[in-house]
């Protein structure tokens, strides 16, 4: 059914104006004032509301075999949560183990999503080993439209690659025009420091930060930057958490290294003291890199506003507090790493970024949608509101007031790291390629309608 959204305040990364938006099929076909609707069109009045392009979360885990367990969401719960939160496209990390072949891994991750997702999706292809068979498989995966890689400098023995593998991955990426996303922490330092802490009797969640302090992350970034400089590959640092790491990225950028930076909503709002809560409560907040000292937050917010940091993601990695986090009750190195937040990113970023004056509206759209589309080959199909773009739209009600709680969330996990946080504004209507998927804040979409987004290599 055609769709006419009337009288909204349309905000993109570079514009802000009042207009009507007409969508036919899956596409935006007209933008202007006083547009007429054909008799069969649905008309939605957006008076007093923002209309944003569908938000893109560039770092999500839905299917994640990790640390002896599996993350809790599947594509049905995960894509519903994404949409309720205004995210119409998610980019999942495809993370085969070092035992698995890349192509089989890609097909496995595809099989988790195709026919099951309500929102659109694509993957960063995890390169968790690089042996003689890997190169041809990666070439095939890129041919299938999966034009970004993911490498881990952390997680020794699980996903982590060695320096020869890192070098080969970056060289291939450079040749193919593929961007390499990277988890930057020095895995040897993490392993050695963890052993020391456990031996000294530091076994609770509060030991996690000490095992991987800012210098460990900064070394990881510097390490990647050296390899990026020598290969010329385009890089993207995922989940950057602190000033020390950002300084390394900026220094590299100044000498011409091709580097982009992602931070997370968790690092902008939560801090080290959350993971230090007694009675194992801190386990809810264990992720890597760890939540940092509060002094880092103004650095990250201003980095977003002034363009030093390109995107805000979630690194959504949901593990239940009751049954999964306790795997590490006596040893923090065994607590499944991750903090769920796929559903809350946009609301939190608006409430605590825009409303508090840390981000302007254009930057908010840019870091939560447009930049991800540009970096990962989705623009201008996604990430903006323009004639010819997919009709992925978020009608956002700035007058809504609510409180985050695990009791009311859509994500299939038993806690919220933002329990009790107040929200000012939320997506009230969300469309995916012209179909209404959220109405009055509730999911009304179609499981299985989400499409795999094949992307050209743009680097
Ligand atoms: O703690 C985290 N970040 N968990 C998810 C896996 C990863 O490193 O991205
Ligand atoms: Zn990571
Ligand atoms: Zn991740």
């Amino acid at each position: 059914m055609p769709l006419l959204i009337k009288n909204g305040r349309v905000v993109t990364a570079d514009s802000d104006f009042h207009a009507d938006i007409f969508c036919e099929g899956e596409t935006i076909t007209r933008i202007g004032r006083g547009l007429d609707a054909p008799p069969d069109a649905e008309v939605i009045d957006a008076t007093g509301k923002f209309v944003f392009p569908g938000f893109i979360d560039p770092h999500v885990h839905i299917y994640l075999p990790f640390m002896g367990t599996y993350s809790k969401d599947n594509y049905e719960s995960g894509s519903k949560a994404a949409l309720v939160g205004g995210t119409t496209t998610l980019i999942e990390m495809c993370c085969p183990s070092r035992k698995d072949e890349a192509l089989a891994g890609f097909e496995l991750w595809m099989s988790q999503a195709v026919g099951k997702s309500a929102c659109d999706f694509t993957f960063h292809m995890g390169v968790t080993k690089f042996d003689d068979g890997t190169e041809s498989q990666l070439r095939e995966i890129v041919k299938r439209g999966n034009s970004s890689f993911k490498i881990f400098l952390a997680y020794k023995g699980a996903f982590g690659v060695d320096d020869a593998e890192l070098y080969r991955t970056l060289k291939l990426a450079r040749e193919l025009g593929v961007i390499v996303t990277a988890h930057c922490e020095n895995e040897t330092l993490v392993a050695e420091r963890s052993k020391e802490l456990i031996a000294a009797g530091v076994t609770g969640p509060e030991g996690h930060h000490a095992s991987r302090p800012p210098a460990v992350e900064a070394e990881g970034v510097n390490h990647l930057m050296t390899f990026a400089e020598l290969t010329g590959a385009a890089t993207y640092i995922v989940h950057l958490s602190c000033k020390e790491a950002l300084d390394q990225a900026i220094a590299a950028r100044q000498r011409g290294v091709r580097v982009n930076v992602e931070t997370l909503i968790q690092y902008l709002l939560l801090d080290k003291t959350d993971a230090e809560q007694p009675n194992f409560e801190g386990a809810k907040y264990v992720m890597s890199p760890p939540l940092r000292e509060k002094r880092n937050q103004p650095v990250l917010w201003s980095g977003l506003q002034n363009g030093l940091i390109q995107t805000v993601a979630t690194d959504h990695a949901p593990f239940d507090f009751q049954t999964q986090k306790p795997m590490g009750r006596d040893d923090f190195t065994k607590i499944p790493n991750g903090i769920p937040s796929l559903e809350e990113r946009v609301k939190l970023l608006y409430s605590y970024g825009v409303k508090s004056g840390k981000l302007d509206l254009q930057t908010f759209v840019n870091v939560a949608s447009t930049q991800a589309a540009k970096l990962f080959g989705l623009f201008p199909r996604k990430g903006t509101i323009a004639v010819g773009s997919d009709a992925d739209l978020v009608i956002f009600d700035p007058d809504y007031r609510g409180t985050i709680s695990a009791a009311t969330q859509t994500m299939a996990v038993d806690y919220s790291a933002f329990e009790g946080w107040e929200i000012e504004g939320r997506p009230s209507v969300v469309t995916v390629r012209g179909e209404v998927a959220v109405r009055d804040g509730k999911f009304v979409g179609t499981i299985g309608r989400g499409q795999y987004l094949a992307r050209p290599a743009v680097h």
Side-chain angles (χ1 to χ4, degrees):
M1 184 197 298
L3 183 64
L4 180 64
I5 297 169
K6 286 195 76 70
N7 306 320
R9 180 173 165 192
V10 178
V11 180
T12 70
D14 51 20
S15 58
D16 184 347
F17 55 99
H18 282 85
D20 304 338
I21 301 172
F22 186 62
C23 313
E24 279 169 300
E26 302 194 339
T27 311
I28 297 168
T29 54
R30 279 186 292 154
I31 301 173
R33 297 259 184 143
L35 297 184
D36 289 328
D40 61 336
E42 174 175 2
V43 180
I44 297 177
D45 185 9
T47 303
K49 302 198 170 63
F50 294 112
V51 186
F52 297 127
F55 292 97
I56 300 172
D57 191 335
H59 183 169
V60 175
H61 301 273
I62 302 286
Y63 174 67
L64 179 63
F66 185 46
M67 299 184 73
T69 187
Y70 290 83
S71 55
K72 280 302 299 288
D73 273 310
N74 56 28
Y75 260 90
E76 184 168 337
S77 62
S79 64
K80 276 189 196 172
L83 286 165
V84 167
T87 293
T88 53
T89 295
L90 63 83
I91 311 185
E92 197 193 357
M93 297 294 172
C94 169
C95 297
S97 82
R98 279 178 77 82
K99 291 195 300 296
D100 300 323
E101 293 302 322
L103 197 49
F106 176 63
E107 282 166 358
L108 174 61
W109 259 259
M110 279 287 275
S111 74
Q112 301 293 319
V114 174
K116 297 171 185 159
S117 184
C119 68
D120 286 353
F121 58 91
T122 182
F123 301 95
H124 300 302
M125 183 61 218
V127 182
T128 50
K129 66 175 174 186
F130 200 112
D131 60 20
D132 290 346
T134 306
E135 182 176 324
S136 60
Q137 295 179 44
L138 291 175
R139 286 180 187 278
E140 173 60 25
I141 290 165
V142 173
K143 264 196 212 132
R144 294 189 194 178
N146 211 81
S147 58
S148 47
F149 295 158
K150 168 72 185 286
I151 49 131
F152 293 88
L153 305 187
Y155 306 134
K156 211 177 182 89
F159 301 137
V161 288
D162 65 26
D163 282 351
E165 293 170 315
L166 172 62
Y167 186 63
R168 287 178 201 152
T169 305
L170 289 170
K171 273 182 55 173
L172 180 64
R174 171 72 172 131
E175 182 200 321
L176 298 177
V178 160
I179 189 167
V180 179
T181 72
H183 175 139
C184 296
E185 286 180 298
N186 182 302
E187 63 178 6
T188 307
L189 285 171
V190 174
E192 291 302 310
R193 291 177 67 85
S194 298
K195 269 190 264 169
E196 286 167 8
L197 284 156
I198 296 292
V202 182
T203 57
E206 69 284 355
H208 184 68
H209 188 279
S211 72
R212 39 219 313 159
V216 166
E217 186 181 348
E219 198 290 323
V221 170
N222 182 47
H223 199 83
L224 178 77
M225 294 298 89
T226 305
F227 282 65
E229 187 167 10
L230 292 173
T231 56
T235 58
Y236 174 97
I237 298 165
V238 300
H239 51 40
L240 183 133
S241 70
C242 60
K243 178 177 186 308
E244 290 84 342
L246 183 60
D247 286 346
Q248 294 297 328
I250 293 168
R253 193 180 284 147
Q254 280 170 345
R255 61 180 197 267
V257 179
R258 302 168 72 200
V259 57
N260 302 280
V261 175
E262 164 196 286
T263 192
L264 306 181
I265 194 69
Q266 294 93 319
Y267 299 133
L268 291 166
L269 299 178
L270 303 172
D271 68 75
K272 185 169 172 278
T273 60
D274 289 301
E276 291 167 349
Q277 290 179 53
N279 304 322
F280 202 61
E281 273 291 301
K284 291 177 179 170
Y285 299 91
V286 167
M287 66 171 303
S288 296
L291 298 178
R292 299 300 189 190
E293 285 173 15
K294 244 192 162 25
R295 67 173 168 83
N296 291 284
Q297 292 175 349
V299 177
L300 299 177
W301 282 113
S302 67
L304 287 165
Q305 180 59 42
N306 63 29
L308 296 174
I309 299 176
Q310 282 63 51
T311 61
V312 178
T314 60
D315 190 10
H316 177 69
F319 296 102
D320 273 344
F321 179 59
Q322 292 301 333
T323 56
Q324 294 179 296
K325 293 282 183 177
M327 293 165 69
R329 186 172 278 285
D330 302 318
D331 177 348
F332 69 83
T333 67
K334 298 194 168 67
I335 299 171
N337 284 200
I339 302 180
S341 51
L342 178 56
E343 191 166 344
E344 316 297 4
R345 176 185 64 130
V346 170
K347 284 177 274 189
L348 286 167
L349 196 64
Y350 180 82
S351 301
Y352 294 90
V354 177
K355 290 289 285 185
S356 70
K358 295 188 184 78
L359 297 183
D360 63 44
L361 272 173
Q362 262 83 40
T363 304
F364 163 68
V365 171
N366 199 30
V367 300
S369 179
T370 312
Q371 278 297 320
K374 288 183 173 169
L375 286 168
F376 299 119
L378 292 167
F379 191 84
R381 178 177 176 192
K382 308 287 191 188
T384 195
I385 297 176
V387 170
S389 294
D390 280 1
D392 294 355
L393 298 166
V394 174
I395 302 177
F396 191 91
D397 179 1
D399 296 325
Y400 176 84
R401 296 292 176 268
T403 306
I404 293 176
S405 173
T408 50
Q409 72 192 7
T410 311
M411 301 180 290
V413 60
D414 69 356
Y415 78 100
S416 170
F418 297 96
E419 188 72 37
W421 283 59
E422 286 179 2
I423 287 303
E424 299 185 55
R426 70 159 184 191
S428 55
V429 175
V430 178
T431 70
V432 179
R433 285 178 284 103
E435 184 184 289
V436 175
V438 171
R439 214 183 275 281
D440 200 20
K442 306 264 176 318
F443 178 75
V444 296
T446 310
I447 296 299
R449 184 168 176 273
Q451 276 183 2
Y452 167 67
L453 301 170
R455 300 172 287 128
V458 293
H459 296 276

